[in-house]
Amino acid sequence: MKRFITLFSILCLGCSLALFSSPTADQIMELVLETQSSSTSALDIKLTLIDRTGNTRERRLQTLSATQYGKTSTLTVFLSPESVRNTRFLSVEGTGGTTEQWIFLPSLKRIRKIAGTEEAGSFMGSDFSYNDMASTTYDTGQADHHLISEDGKSYTVESIPHEVKAYGKTLTIVDKETFLPLEVQFYEHDGKTILKILTTEAIETISDRPVSTIMVMKTHSSSHTTRLEILQARYDIPLPEGYFTTRFLETGRL
Amino acid sequence: MKRIILITILLLATTALLFAFDIFADEEEPARKIYLQKETSLIIYRDKTLEPQLLLDISVDYNNEAYRAQTTLQIDVATSKLSAKHLSISIFRGNQILTTGWITHPWGSASLTHVVDVLNAQDLSGGIKDDLEAMKLPELMLSLTTYQERSSLDVVLKPGFRTTTLENTGRWSLIPAQFSSVTLDEEETMNLEKIGGGARYRIHTSPIDLGLLYFNGYWPQSGYTNITYDSTYAITGAETIHTRYQLIGFESSSLFGPLTLALEGGFFLSEDTDGSDPGLYNSKWAYLAELSYTHSASGTFLAVAYQGQYVLHFPSSPMDVDVLASNDGKAYANTLLAAAELKFFREKLACRVAGTYQLESTGYLILASATYALGDNLSFFLKTTWYGSIETKDSLYHTWDANDSLQIGLHAWF
């Protein structure tokens, strides 16, 4: 039902955009988020880290996410390389804006309660930060959006975050057909120096929705790149609550 | 025999696909997975002795809806020793997991050290490693864990127990030279008279993860009785005995800003309640506080801890086991610990350093290591260990002062 409402709202918005005028930057960025949102998701991800000489390293992880009453729980399991295999990370959003987080380290055989941090650092040595893994765009409450240009296929939107943390500015080129980001440029705090560029290399239709299945993030200063490939994806599927518990974190079993 | 085990395991093995959840696996998920890891290294001691080390770990994990069987065997080529590090069968039924086998079962909420992690004895026959879990001796155990939404109860039963492994001779011996020729009659500890058991109840709430513990069993360190002397009053023989005690303790973990505060503590009520038997360990209080910081995205870990104990009815006799096991002959013992793990070059290089300082004996231990990833499943490592003491007071660290070492090696997973 939720999917129908979402599709209906996208269609309505699409019609209104076509009938009247170009959408506003806020409307575009809301559609970008709407296109990528789901009540639940299960992703099987491969990260390939490529240094400037072409040497590669691979990381494999699977992540489950469920949003209920506006609260999101996320479970991430690291599968490779072997040194991090079966490391599990659980994040449960609670009431009052609090988020509880636990990590299970196989070497310690224990779960450890940890504090949430500003995750601007490199995720598993890749060019993605922890925040990038969650989302590469800002919603309207987080940033001021400006429509910079438009052509037959895409919109270019500048986003300046209200609170500058990792980036001073982003430029997002949005596909008019799918409302997925085709490219995102991330700028330093000065808003002028390019830090990283994210390019979408493949878009597929999964569960009747467009999904960016291959993305490449390049760090400008080091020429180091990370290719993120979604090997498998499931959206809006029933996910047992048992996945988002310290029991699953500790045992790996439902 | 080893070859047969190896061939059998390899024949049984299937290609291991990677799945964490049934959602992706469908019917493709292999029930049986095999993991191999090899470590080759050379240890150089301060006295210029060289010790090559070649370890092969073979792990097989069979997993289906009803049960899971896990096996980890280690072959130490240098000593021609085959050992079982883990052999278990777990049965899953509703919200309960019944596990039995040759296992380690961790209690305690801290990361650097523990005072309530009492279910497994330690192997001190090769010095102190930078991996507490790897130093534990697996034991025959049965555990039943019942999970509720935000709480769990695990009940553990041990039919007998293993004692702390110590070397009688050589560089890792903790026995004074004058006692090296003493004949010890070791007490049998693997029988039902030595049964032990306990339970832990844990609850995960928003402000605190709390566990309450009870254990009734034996202290893994030996005491001594029926000591015999020769005509010059030199000790010639003794029988080992072990102390039954009850532990009533707790473990907790809570957030303190960006830091995790872990607390462990408890009272060990000895069968020698008034401390009158010199061969048995007395009752004591034990406590631990640890502050740690984990940055999950970068893998950075920093921690400091303070650990201590206070022995009741502390005896004056130098032959009492409480005095022999004490630091500088004192009823109390307090230790400061600190550790850091940092990763560099996009996690290619991981550096770890940990230090322990025992306040009463002034003994210290420093462990440092650097691991460089040569590939996804191949790494080069360099480890160093320093034992010592600021003053010449008796302690484990002072006894092992000459055992400082540097280890260089390769670790591969395949």
Side-chain angles (χ1 to χ4, degrees), chain B residues 161-394:
Chain B
F161 68 99
R162 291 182 78 183
T163 58
T164 304
T165 304
L166 298 170
E167 287 291 320
N168 293 329
T169 56
R171 69 168 67 247
W172 299 112
S173 171
L174 289 170
I175 297 171
Q178 62 268 35
F179 299 138
S180 59
S181 59
V182 170
T183 307
L184 281 180
D185 185 6
E186 303 267 359
E187 185 181 33
E188 177 58 54
T189 60
M190 288 303 293
N191 61 50
L192 281 177
E193 281 179 16
K194 303 295 183 191
I195 195 167
R200 174 178 63 164
Y201 177 73
R202 284 180 298 168
I203 185 161
H204 304 282
T205 65
S206 183
I208 191 168
D209 288 1
L210 178 68
L212 301 173
L213 313 137
Y214 173 78
F215 180 72
N216 185 329
Y218 283 85
W219 195 246
Q221 288 170 358
S222 303
Y224 304 95
T225 188
N226 294 333
I227 299 170
T228 55
Y229 302 86
D230 66 11
S231 56
T232 62
Y233 295 103
I235 299 172
T236 56
E239 291 175 20
T240 64
I241 53 169
H242 296 88
T243 310
R244 183 176 276 280
Y245 69 93
Q246 296 177 70
L247 164 66
I248 300 151
F250 78 98
E251 59 175 58
S252 76
S253 163
S254 53
L255 297 178
F256 198 68
L259 306 173
T260 302
L261 172 67
L263 299 172
E264 294 181 17
F267 182 63
F268 293 76
L269 176 64
S270 167
E271 61 179 301
D272 183 24
T273 48
D274 59 358
S276 58
D277 188 333
L280 296 175
Y281 290 93
N282 292 3
S283 300
K284 67 177 182 181
W285 291 96
Y287 43 88
L288 164 69
E290 178 191 274
L291 268 179
S292 64
Y293 172 75
T294 306
H295 190 254
S296 51
S298 65
T300 299
F301 175 72
L302 306 167
V304 289
Y306 185 87
Q307 178 204 340
Q309 65 169 27
Y310 181 78
V311 177
L312 303 181
H313 309 295
F314 194 73
S316 54
S317 164
M319 292 305 291
D320 191 292
V321 286
D322 286 298
V323 177
L324 291 170
S326 70
N327 285 290
D328 198 30
K330 292 191 169 68
Y332 49 88
N334 295 282
T335 304
L336 273 171
L337 303 99
E341 178 169 350
L342 300 164
K343 292 180 178 174
F344 303 96
F345 309 125
R346 297 186 178 276
E347 301 191 5
K348 272 191 173 178
L349 177 66
C351 295
R352 301 173 81 181
V353 62
T356 298
Y357 179 69
Q358 211 291 312
L359 271 62
E360 286 73 28
S361 68
T362 70
Y364 62 83
L365 164 70
I366 298 168
L367 299 158
S369 69
T371 304
Y372 187 80
L374 298 168
D376 283 337
N377 294 315
L378 175 67
S379 63
F380 166 80
F381 67 85
L382 205 144
K383 293 181 183 177
T384 182
T385 309
W386 290 304
Y387 298 95
S389 62
I390 293 170
E391 296 171 32
T392 52
K393 295 176 179 175
D394 281 344

Side-chain angles (χ1 to χ4, degrees), chain A residues 62 102 110 113 122 250 253, chain B residues 20 63 107 202 209 260 297:
Chain A
Q62 292 178 346
W102 293 271
R110 288 172 174 82
K113 196 181 186 83
S122 164
E250 196 166 74
R253 299 276 302 216
Chain B
N63 207 353
W107 278 1
R202 284 180 298 168
D209 288 1
T260 302

Side-chain angles (χ1 to χ4, degrees), chain B residues 91-148:
Chain B
I91 299 166
F92 303 91
R93 209 172 188 99
N95 61 347
Q96 292 187 314
I97 301 175
L98 178 71
T99 302
T100 181
W102 192 249
I103 58 176
T104 60
H105 190 93
W107 278 1
S109 55
S111 300
L112 300 185
T113 185
H114 302 282
V115 296
V116 295
D117 193 11
V118 294
L119 296 174
N120 293 88
Q122 281 193 317
D123 180 2
L124 291 175
S125 63
I128 294 173
K129 308 271 192 309
D130 61 354
D131 182 350
L132 276 182
E133 289 301 312
M135 286 180 65
K136 280 185 180 177
L137 294 165
E139 294 195 36
L140 191 61
M141 219 181 283
L142 186 142
S143 79
L144 175 67
T145 306
T146 306
Y147 289 93
Q148 299 299 330

